[in-house]
């Protein structure tokens, strides 16, 4: 949600580097974009424009119009003020000496703005971020030391932020600061970086430093220095990113989402294989003891969006394996619901990005109440990963498309692993069941590849049904949980209204919406309840619905007798079936969106990594 970048270069022109970085981070926001470059003679040159990055690229001739080796850039997902040129970042202080980019929300900006207006400051935008640029100029005029001025500003503002700042008096340095919004520092051969995300700078360096809340960094072409909120130097650890630029590029595919759907078998393999040794799940990364596991009385799974949907699958699986109550709660609700957490409560937070603000806040609330936290997370060094008591990484690699696919499926795999691990510790699973699930978990990538080798029918059905204006996904138990994600995929990238219902609930109200021609996606992959799923198909057919069914190869024939169209996936252990069943739903959504001419990787109004509340 908003991407920021900054570069202090030795000799290289900064503008093309900033623009390239912004292009790689455009999934974080794409309402407007802008860059500021310090050119010779203490001048700050700013170019910004409403719309996609391409507008800015055209405006600056790919950056050729701005000369200089020090600069900052921003791609915006609007919170305060409509997406227009004036509200685009960077924001410039009134005398033109300071430029600032910001990701986050300044909660007390109106009070500060009022104060500055009384002092005669003129504002040119509606944003909370411009207030910080103006406040910075005010404090800089007082102390004439940029680091000190930033320190003073940070003490006055409330909210979340990652800032990149340049000042006309400082020809070689940019300043960065963070609290509750992601920010990394990168050390490259030709200069040093700040960025919201590794993807923006991976082309130039894999040597990164993760900034912590309250820290301020001064970055020049030769040095990277970090200070705490008292401006005392802090020694920071360097990390080597273990993937390279090709992982964050489309590699010949039309869309990142398509590429990422196809990458799922490998992502699951990477997540699962290293954690299975001699027929057992071994989680070296987790410090949970058998003694603690025995004392767990309650488990929460807390997350947002698709990660929440992974939690809904997790709940069905874990309750079966652990015989403990598992509650799945939306992170945005959890934090304000006075959750019943104590030292016997295990709180699982699930987040691909590791930066989702609500999930982060829920994690902190759980810790504050004395619960034990375990994060399932894809981004190494992200805030959630660093703050949880334990973290289990999903090794999906960078996910660029706004709509998650491999992020979600590796979350399912991680939940299966931890579920088996805990069930084993607790002795709540029969050895035969444990072995059967484990064997099938290892076989998942191969079975997924089998479906992915022949998915033309899914593409065909998408072209048959893409004109429907409303779709219902129905299923029971794990099929219902999977349907929640299938429905979200369709609505977010194709803009078709869709809802997921537990099939048994239909006749309690929603069935009144079924009329001749209504498209129902009926999910019948969960073996134990297949016959009941069939009855629901018959029910909606009787009301004239057009039924596209997703089932397993074993049930295909039966399903074909009633449904209008059938997609089948290989069979696996029932608790793992959503990992296979979700793939055709992702591809169906993808091809429907393609037919409708939607911007698949960057759906309207959305952004990846939601770092505001
Ligand atoms: C939907 C999607 C979102 C995310 C949600 C949580 O395709 O990607 O619903 O799942 O914003 O994001 P993370 O997992 O990064 O916390």
């Amino acid at each position: 949600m908003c991407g920021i970048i900054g570069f202090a270069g030795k000799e290289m022109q900064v503008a093309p580097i900033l623009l390239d970085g912004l292009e790689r981070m455009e999934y974080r926001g794409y309402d407007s974009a802008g860059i500021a470059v310090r050119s010779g003679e203490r001048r700050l040159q700013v170019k910004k424009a409403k719309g996609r990055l391409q507008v800015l690229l055209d405006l600056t001739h790919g950056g050729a119009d701005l000369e200089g080796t020090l600069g900052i850039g921003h791609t915006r997902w609007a919170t305060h003020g409509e997406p227009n040129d004036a509200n685009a970042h960077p924001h410039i202080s009134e005398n033109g000496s300071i430029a600032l980019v910001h990701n986050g929300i300044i909660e007390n900006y109106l009070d500060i703005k009022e104060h500055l207006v009384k002092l005669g400051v003129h504002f040119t935008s509606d944003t909370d971020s411009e207030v910080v640029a103006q406040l910075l100029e005010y404090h800089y005029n007082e102390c004439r030391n940029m680091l000190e001025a930033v320190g003073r500003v940070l003490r006055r503002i409330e909210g979340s932020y990652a800032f990149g700042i340049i000042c006309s008096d400082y020809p070689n340095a940019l300043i960065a600061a963070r609290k509750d919004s992601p920010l990394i520092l990168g050390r490259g051969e030709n200069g040093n970086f700040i960025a919201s995300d590794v993807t923006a700078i991976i082309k130039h360096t894999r040597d990164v430093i993760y900034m912590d809340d309250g820290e301020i960094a001064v970055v020049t072409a030769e040095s990277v220095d970090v200070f705490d909120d008292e401006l005392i130097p802090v020694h920071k650890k360097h990390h080597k990113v273990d993937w390279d630029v090709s992982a964050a590029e489309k590699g010949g595919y039309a869309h990142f989402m398509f590429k990422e759907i196809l990458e799922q078998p490998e992502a699951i393999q990477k997540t699962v294989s290293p954690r299975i040794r001699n027929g057992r799940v071994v989680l070296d990364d987790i410090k949970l003891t058998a003694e603690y596991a025995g004392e767990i009385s309650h488990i929460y799974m807390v997350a947002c969006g698709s990660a929440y949907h992974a939690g809904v699958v997790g709940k069905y699986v874990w309750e079966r394996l652990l015989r403990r109550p598992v509650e799945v709660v939306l992170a945005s609700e959890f934090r304000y619901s006075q959750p019943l957490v104590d030292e016997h409560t295990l709180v699982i937070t699930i987040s691909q990005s590791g930066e989702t603000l609500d999930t982060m806040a829920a994690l902190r609330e759980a810790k504050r109440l004395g619960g034990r936290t375990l994060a399932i997370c894809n981004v190494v060094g992200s805030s959630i990963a660093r703050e949880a008591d334990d973290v289990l990484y999903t090794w999906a690699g960078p996910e660029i498309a706004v709509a998650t696919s491999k992020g979600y499926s590796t979350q399912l795999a991680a939940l299966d692993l931890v579920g088996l691990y805990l069930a084993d510790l607790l002795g709540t699973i029969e050895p035969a069941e444990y072995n059967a699930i484990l064997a099938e978990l290892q076989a998942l990538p191969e079975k997924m590849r089998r479906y992915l080798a022949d998915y033309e029918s899914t593409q065909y059905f998408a072209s048959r049904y893409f004109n429907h204006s409303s779709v219902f996904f129905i299923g029971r138990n794990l099929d219902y949980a999977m349907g929640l994600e299938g429905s979200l995929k369709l609505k977010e990238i194709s803009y078709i209204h869709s809802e997921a219902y537990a099939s048994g609930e239909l006749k309690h109200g929603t069935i009144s919406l079924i009329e001749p021609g209504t498209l129902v996606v009926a999910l019948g992959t969960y073996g134990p309840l297949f016959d009941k799923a069939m009855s629901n198909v018959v029910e909606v057919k009787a009301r004239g619905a057009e039924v596209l069914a997703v089932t397993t190869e074993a049930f295909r024939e039966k399903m074909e007798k009633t449904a209008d169209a059938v997609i089948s996936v290989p069979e696996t252990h029932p608790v793992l079936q959503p990992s296979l069943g979700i793939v055709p739903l992702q591809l169906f959504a993808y091809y429907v969106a393609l037919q409708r001419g939607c911007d698949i990787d960057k759906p309207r109004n959305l952004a990846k990594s939601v770092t505001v509340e």
Side-chain angles (χ1 to χ4, degrees), residues 304-307 350-354 356 359 402-404 411 488-489 492 610:
C304 302
S306 295
I350 310 165
S351 174
Q352 186 281 128
S353 63
T356 301
T359 311
V402 164
T404 183
Q411 284 163 355
L488 177 63
K489 283 286 87 76
E492 70 181 327
V610 184

Side-chain angles (χ1 to χ4, degrees), residues 406-419:
K406 62 177 180 172
Y408 168 83
S409 52
T410 51
Q411 284 163 355
L412 294 190
L415 285 166
D416 294 330
L417 281 170
V418 185

Side-chain angles (χ1 to χ4, degrees), residues 301-357:
M301 293 192 183
V302 185
C304 302
S306 295
Y308 168 80
H309 295 155
V312 180
V313 172
K315 171 192 163 70
Y316 282 105
V317 176
W318 281 32
E319 286 189 340
R320 171 170 169 162
L321 303 185
L322 307 184
R323 309 310 305 150
R324 295 277 190 289
V326 179
E327 217 173 314
V328 201
V329 189
L330 291 163
S332 52
E333 293 297 317
F334 181 87
R335 55 188 294 197
Y336 298 120
S337 65
Q338 301 185 344
L340 301 172
V341 174
D342 63 19
E343 70 270 31
H344 303 300
T345 313
L346 178 63
V347 180
I348 311 291
T349 50
I350 310 165
S351 174
Q352 186 281 128
S353 63
E355 299 293 348
T356 301
L357 190 95

Side-chain angles (χ1 to χ4, degrees), residues 449-458 568:
R449 282 189 191 107
R450 208 161 89 201
Y451 165 75
L452 285 172
D454 180 18
Y455 59 81
E456 275 83 10
S457 65
T458 307
S568 56

Side-chain angles (χ1 to χ4, degrees), residues 329-436:
V329 189
L330 291 163
S332 52
E333 293 297 317
F334 181 87
R335 55 188 294 197
Y336 298 120
S337 65
Q338 301 185 344
L340 301 172
V341 174
D342 63 19
E343 70 270 31
H344 303 300
T345 313
L346 178 63
V347 180
I348 311 291
T349 50
I350 310 165
S351 174
Q352 186 281 128
S353 63
E355 299 293 348
T356 301
L357 190 95
D358 283 322
T359 311
M360 182 72 214
L363 170 80
R364 287 183 180 159
E365 179 65 358
K367 285 183 84 169
R368 190 185 69 80
L369 295 169
R372 173 142 192 148
T373 55
L374 189 161
I376 290 177
C377 204
N378 192 42
V379 178
V380 175
S382 56
S383 306
I384 289 172
R386 281 183 295 157
E387 287 198 27
D389 296 315
D390 286 299
V391 56
L392 190 84
Y393 283 112
T394 50
W395 298 117
E399 193 178 60
I400 312 290
V402 164
T404 183
S405 54
K406 62 177 180 172
Y408 168 83
S409 52
T410 51
Q411 284 163 355
L412 294 190
L415 285 166
D416 294 330
L417 281 170
V418 185
L420 278 175
Y421 178 78
L422 289 176
D424 193 24
L425 284 185
L426 292 169
T428 50
I429 187 167
E430 291 295 329
E433 169 101 326
Y434 181 92
N435 294 335

